[in-house]
Amino acid sequence: MSHAESLQDAVPTRPLRRLGVELFVLVLAKIALLTLLWWIAFAPHPKPDSSPAAIEHLLAPAATASPAQGTHP
């Protein structure tokens, strides 16, 4: 038996296939975990109203009482 033949027998392809399957399952599990965390952390929060009218309302100056309304005693 030559040295090359003994190396082929020492490294069978089955463990490499098993490793590939394990890594694939690990990646799928991480994706599922991140999706679950996203649904728990971000999905319950509603999106803020970013319409132009809502932004205008938020940035408008506060209404103050004018002296012409007769609020002085």
Side-chain angles (χ1 to χ4, degrees):
M1 181 181 269
S2 71
H3 183 67
E5 289 174 353
S6 65
L7 283 178
Q8 279 183 335
D9 292 339
V11 183
T13 59
R14 295 298 279 174
L16 295 178
R17 180 174 295 215
R18 180 178 173 207
L19 178 64
V21 170
E22 288 177 0
L23 288 175
F24 182 73
V25 169
L26 184 65
V27 168
L28 286 180
K30 285 184 177 185
I31 290 172
L33 179 66
L34 289 174
T35 303
L36 179 66
L37 288 174
W38 183 86
W39 277 107
I40 291 171
F42 297 109
H45 302 294
K47 289 185 178 180
D49 186 10
S50 60
S51 66
I55 300 298
E56 181 181 354
H57 177 72
L58 287 173
L59 297 177
T64 58
S66 64
Q69 292 179 348
T71 56
H72 297 304

